């Protein structure tokens, strides 16, 4: 279930998480509302959808109105200029589903509508959004197998963006064909000043120019292995091994 710390993670206490169905143990991730940390969003591990709390997680209300049935919320971000404007990334369990992977809310997460124009994900390819992040005035969405997409107009429309490539496509004999594919992206983070980092199955990458180009970073022994990435509040990139 949920736990909270008021002393820098030295001690923890349980949070009742009243209203979450089927229960607090099904929460897969948490996100805070910008400039008001008493408002939280919880993405469920399963078909529980999305929940919203206005009292620091003590009570919760469903926040999936307008999201497609059977969708899982996998990422969430707020517009830095209008924090009540939220975007959520989705994945689906069902084989046949709408071709919409990003939804927008203009009322703090109470209702949602599709904001996916331009995002093309190959069907039945494990398609989902693994991260949503702002880099300056641009918004980025990462997918595991179909690369990164950029929006210069707050999420509608989107265009393919520069993505690190991997040359591991093989022919029937197992020999490399030299064909490149996007790296498998597991996580995306960004800052207001244009720094982006991604965690991939090939290691960690960073962009210091708002997503126009990418370079690998981190200890050499982490090159080519899955990693986790994050950004501290000032925007300095940090990497962690598997």
């Amino acid at each position: 279930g949920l736990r909270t710390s008021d002393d820098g993670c030295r001690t923890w206490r349980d949070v009742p998480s009243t209203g979450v169905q089927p229960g607090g143990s099904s929460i897969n991730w948490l996100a805070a509302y910008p400039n008001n940390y008493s408002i939280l969003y919880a993405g469920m591990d399963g078909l529980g959808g999305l929940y919203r709390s206005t009292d620091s997680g003590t009570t919760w209300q469903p926040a999936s109105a307008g999201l497609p049935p059977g969708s899982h919320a996998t990422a969430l971000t707020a517009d830095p200029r209008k924090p009540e404007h939220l975007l959520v990334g989705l994945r689906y369990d069902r084989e046949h589903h709408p071709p919409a992977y990003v939804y927008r809310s203009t009322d703090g997460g109470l209702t949602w509508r599709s904001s996916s124009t331009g995002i093309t994900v190959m069907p039945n390819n494990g398609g989902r959004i693994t991260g949503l992040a702002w880099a300056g005035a641009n918004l980025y969405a990462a997918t595991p197998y179909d690369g990164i997409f950029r929006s210069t107009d707050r999420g509608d429309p989107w265009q393919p963006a520069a993505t690190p490539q991997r040359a591991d496509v093989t022919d029937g004999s197992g020999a490399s064909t030299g064909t490149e594919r996007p790296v498998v992206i597991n996580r995306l983070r960004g800052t207001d000043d244009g720094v982006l980092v991604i965690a991939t199955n090939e290691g960690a990458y960073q962009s210091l120019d708002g997503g126009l180009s990418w370079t690998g970073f981190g200890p050499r022994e982490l090159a080519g292995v899955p990693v986790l990435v994050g950004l501290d509040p000032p925007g300095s990139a940090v990497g962690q091994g598997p």
Side-chain angles (χ1 to χ4, degrees):
L2 289 176
R3 290 174 175 81
T4 185
S5 174
D6 300 318
D7 55 11
C9 300
R10 287 187 291 273
T11 61
W12 295 84
R13 59 182 175 83
D14 291 338
V15 177
S17 59
T18 303
V20 174
Q21 298 295 330
S25 60
S26 298
I27 294 176
N28 195 39
W29 55 263
L30 292 169
Y33 190 82
N35 304 321
N36 188 347
Y37 293 146
S38 63
I39 301 178
L40 298 172
Y41 297 87
M44 307 300 290
D45 183 10
L47 296 179
L50 188 69
Y51 280 79
R52 180 176 184 263
S53 173
T54 58
D55 53 13
S56 301
T58 301
T59 61
W60 295 84
Q61 303 80 38
S64 298
L67 296 181
S71 62
H72 299 236
T74 56
L76 182 141
T77 191
D79 188 327
R81 301 180 189 179
K82 295 183 178 181
E84 70 277 11
H85 290 195
L86 303 169
L87 292 104
V88 67
L90 303 178
R91 71 175 175 88
Y92 298 94
D93 274 341
R94 300 174 181 175
E95 182 176 347
H96 301 289
H97 55 73
Y101 288 86
V102 176
Y103 275 70
R104 174 194 290 272
S105 173
T106 58
D107 53 16
L110 298 180
T111 59
W112 300 89
R113 61 179 178 82
S114 177
S115 186
S116 299
T117 303
I119 291 183
T120 55
V121 176
M122 292 294 290
N124 305 323
N125 192 29
R128 64 185 183 278
I129 300 297
T130 55
L132 291 166
W134 292 86
N138 294 330
L139 177 62
Y140 287 81
T143 67
Y145 303 108
D146 298 280
I148 300 172
F149 295 86
R150 179 181 68 242
S151 174
T152 59
D153 193 21
R154 291 176 164 77
D156 198 8
W158 299 83
Q159 304 87 29
T163 305
Q165 301 291 301
R166 55 188 174 96
D168 62 353
V169 181
T170 59
D171 58 22
S173 65
S176 175
T177 65
T179 302
E180 291 187 335
R181 287 182 179 175
V183 293
V184 178
I185 302 172
N186 302 312
R187 184 170 299 193
L188 167 71
R189 293 291 184 268
T191 67
D192 291 343
D193 55 359
V195 176
L196 290 165
V197 295
I198 53 175
T200 82
N201 283 7
E202 309 293 324
Y205 289 82
Q206 65 180 349
S207 174
L208 304 180
D209 55 12
L212 298 179
S213 62
W214 295 88
T215 57
F217 76 99
R220 288 187 177 183
E221 59 268 23
L222 295 183
V225 299
V227 297
L228 299 175
V229 295
L231 289 162
D232 70 12
S236 299
V238 296
Q240 177 178 324

